[in-house]
Amino acid sequence: MKRDSRLSSVLHALLHMAERGEPLTSEHLATCIGTNPVVVRRTMGLLRNVGLVQSARGHAGGWSLAIDLKAVTLRQLHEALGEPAVFAIGNRNENPHCLVEQSVNAVMDEAFAEAEALLLDRFGAITLADLSAEFSRRHMAHLKERNKNAS
Amino acid sequence: MKRDSRLSSVLHALLHMAERGEPLTSEHLATCIGTNPVVVRRTMGLLRNVGLVQSARGHAGGWSLAIDLKAVTLRQLHEALGEPAVFAIGNRNENPHCLVEQSVNAVMDEAFAEAEALLLDRFGAITLADLSAEFSRRHMAHLKERNKNAS
DNA sequence: CTATTTCGTAATAAACGAAGTTACATGAAG
DNA sequence: CTTCATGTAACTTCGTTTATTACGAAATAG
């Protein structure tokens, strides 16, 4: 199955936008992410729909953050993307006539529901600021490593 | 996204096999599940590889259980199927050069790992016997309902 | 005002993986 | 030796995500 990687992509884009204070073009973001400008516009457009980012056309236009990093959770982003299906495995038939299959579905659905609830809960607890902090840590470690090698 | 429904399918098949004591043909199972005999053989073959079922050719041949219902968990079946990817969402790039993307991946992977662990844990706690019991409950309720309507 | 930049969006193609299908070989039982 | 049933390879179909092409709309520089 092909995985939906849009959440990953938008996080990548949003952090780059946070690093640089100025608006970034779809072209620029597409290069960062390794995709196509149109894909960026399509995906970022969903975030704009819920007020997380702004876009401007023409010279010096592009995409910029509309909110504070601390105020956005991964869960909000997941929702902004239309809450795509979380699981790549699932029931064969959602409304089966067969009682055996109904039983299988009922038991599996319960397990899936719990796992999904946990995932969304974790997503709800992670903000863009957390990711930014994680990046800073790694950036520091990276610089330190370079210094050590250079000396 | 197209979900992998093989776990659901084999559960359905295994329970039907448990209901009837005799070997069931791929043809028969395919009809139960609503698929193709070759697909059944392909999938059940994976279970045979780990000793969960047996197959026999020729007259009176077909598929039969090789173990006790209480001794098989959903997790074992998931493993027998090759541990297919659980999530339909994921990182865009598994080994990124960009530090920003590495940070995103690290944080997301943690959340996914926790949710996957929970799901597999639940799968490990559910046996075929549990599913069979769930079916019995539903079967009883179904018969009761029919009686009520008939009277 | 016109050229350039950049977003907005529709339409279409490409890429990928699961499931379905066809075809035929192999082996067991009557 | 015929029939039934699995074993398996090869190929097709189908659904979904991502990429690409094409062009329109708005903002700004000169």
Side-chain angles (χ1 to χ4, degrees), chain A residues 122-143:
Chain A
R122 289 285 180 277
F123 278 1
I126 303 169
T127 67
L128 286 182
D130 296 328
L131 286 175
S132 179
E134 175 68 22
F135 167 68
S136 295
R137 260 194 298 284
R138 285 170 185 259
H139 191 48
M140 291 298 187
H142 180 67
L143 293 180

Side-chain angles (χ1 to χ4, degrees), chain A residues 81-102:
Chain A
L81 293 175
E83 305 195 59
V86 166
F87 295 108
I89 50 187
N91 299 328
R92 177 178 176 79
N93 188 336
E94 220 49 65
N95 288 101
H97 181 258
C98 169
L99 276 179
V100 169
E101 193 166 8
Q102 285 178 20

